[in-house]
Amino acid sequence: MPFYLLASVFVGLVTDGADPLRNTAAQLLSFGCALPLAALVALLLPLLRPLEATAVRTLCFIPAERLADGPALSWAARRRTALWFVAHLLAGGVVSGMTLAAPPAAAVLLVLPFTAPLQRSVPAWMHALPGVLGPLAGLALLALVVATAWACGVLLARCAPALLGPTPADRLAAAERRAADLATRNRLARELHDSVGHALSAVTLQASAARRVLDADPEFARQALAAIEETTRAAVTELDTVLGLLREEDSTDPAAPAPTLDGLDALLDRTRAAGVAVAAAVEGRCAGLPPVVSREAYRIVQEGLSNALRHAGPVPVRLHLRVRDDQLTLRMENPVGTGDAGPVGTGDAGPVAAGGAGPDSAAPAARTGGGRGLRGIAERARLLGGEATAAAQDGVWRLTARLPLAGKSAHTTGADGP
């Protein structure tokens, strides 16, 4: 209606004797001039698309996934929205005009044969209708109004997905958002699995050993409880780090930084406290590694140790890190089973081994599922442009990861790193 009123003023100024309020031709001309004005406004208002899409979903019962849910940012989307808006107004104008004009005329035709005084005041074409043709014409006129409204609704419902649906640019942007959300979810899943999973595995072994020797060796039980306390405290710190990644708002108390290879010695000490004899060897310097490489390498070592705790028990583990100019190579080996646990009772085996409970005392219980840790290791290596393999051979489980120090690692901090 605002567009029509503006157009009617314009038509009244440029035509002689054309009154848009009384002249049907002037009304049609005003309506025709209002449509380009509406199209221009639709091109300039990106928020018109979500408003029209909401109306279409409500009135035409179009599924939400077939319509765009955001403003029309590109000119292609704006042109399609403008075309839809013009079609909407054109159909609405036709139906509105028929609804205003046809029902009164149909009512007159229905009662015309029964009201003699009315026959002298109706148009000549109505007065000329013989007998029952007047009521039949009135019913036909009402049916035409209903059919026109129905046809316009069906036509608009069919055109809506094509004109108000997502453009190729919208689909690409949505796919990028879904990929970014999936990458964030996978990153958080890896962090939770590696940090909290490692701590729970170590605590489970310590608690199991302490329970078995609580009466026979109270001193060992106290050592195990102290190790549990230290492990859980470290796990809470890492959990705060992971939860910090979920916070979108700015915080004056930022989460602790993610652990890197600088904390490798503490990680190995906590693992030894769980009864695993870890022999570590490092070639080269880990201090100057890129932060993202150092962080991912720490998580890979952590997950490898967790796998040994969960699936093999307190078995000896050999860890070898080699740093070259262009690559960090990480290798871990441990026996597959717990029957040959190795140096039980050695000084660096931790409370479980030193307590004399034996490997079977803290052997991991069988569990279903799994596989997320190895998949997470492979994802970490792949995001850095490297590779990771893990397999059992000749009774020894071997995990190998090769992480380049350049290349994709320079971009990973923005794509998937915290």
Side-chain angles (χ1 to χ4, degrees), residues 249-405:
E249 70 276 9
D250 294 332
S251 176
T252 57
D253 185 17
T260 62
L261 288 179
D262 293 338
L264 180 62
D265 291 338
L267 173 65
L268 297 181
D269 290 340
R270 291 195 300 269
T271 306
R272 293 186 180 108
V276 177
V278 182
V282 179
E283 294 183 17
R285 296 186 58 187
C286 295
L289 294 177
V292 62
V293 177
S294 182
R295 184 185 67 242
E296 300 302 325
Y298 177 92
R299 290 303 192 192
I300 291 175
V301 173
Q302 187 178 50
E303 176 56 25
L305 296 174
S306 298
N307 282 338
L309 286 169
R310 281 194 292 263
H311 300 290
V315 298
V317 177
R318 291 189 295 272
L319 170 64
H320 182 251
L321 294 175
R322 183 175 63 184
V323 181
R324 289 187 173 179
D325 295 336
D326 59 345
Q327 182 175 270
L328 167 64
T329 303
L330 184 154
R331 290 188 178 89
M332 295 184 65
E333 296 181 354
N334 63 269
V336 174
T338 59
D340 54 349
V344 176
T346 56
D348 61 348
V352 172
D360 293 335
S361 64
R367 65 187 184 97
T368 59
R372 298 182 182 87
L374 294 179
R375 185 164 60 246
I377 289 175
E379 289 176 354
R380 291 181 185 278
R382 186 169 60 251
L383 288 171
L384 294 177
E387 60 178 357
T389 58
Q393 185 178 5
D394 299 330
V396 177
W397 179 264
R398 292 182 175 87
L399 168 65
T400 303
R402 296 178 178 86
L403 309 179
L405 304 183

Side-chain angles (χ1 to χ4, degrees), residues 144-239:
L144 179 62
V145 174
V146 174
T148 302
W150 174 83
C152 289
V154 172
L155 181 62
L156 290 177
R158 291 184 177 180
C159 294
L163 298 179
L164 294 179
T167 64
D170 294 330
R171 293 189 180 93
L172 179 59
E176 291 177 348
R177 289 193 298 269
R178 286 194 296 269
D181 293 341
L182 182 60
T184 300
R185 291 176 56 186
N186 288 340
R187 172 165 53 96
L188 294 174
R190 289 194 302 268
E191 295 293 328
L192 284 172
H193 180 276
D194 294 349
S195 60
V196 179
H198 173 80
L200 292 178
S201 298
V203 167
T204 299
L205 286 175
Q206 290 286 358
S208 176
R211 176 179 58 83
R212 293 176 180 271
V213 300
L214 180 61
D215 296 330
D217 192 348
E219 180 60 27
F220 166 74
R222 282 193 293 269
Q223 295 177 13
L225 292 175
I228 290 174
E229 179 183 4
E230 181 181 356
T231 302
T232 52
R233 184 180 295 111
V236 169
T237 301
E238 293 196 20
L239 183 60

Side-chain angles (χ1 to χ4, degrees), residues 41-65:
V41 172
L43 286 173
L44 300 178
L45 293 179
L47 291 177
L48 181 63
R49 185 172 71 169
L51 294 177
E52 289 293 310
T54 301
V56 168
R57 281 194 295 266
T58 304
L59 300 178
C60 298
F61 306 104
I62 303 297
E65 60 271 11

Side-chain angles (χ1 to χ4, degrees), residues 38-46 48 72 75 77-83:
L40 178 62
V41 172
L43 286 173
L44 300 178
L45 293 179
L48 181 63
W75 284 109
R78 294 187 185 188
R79 287 192 295 268
R80 293 167 61 176
T81 304
L83 182 58

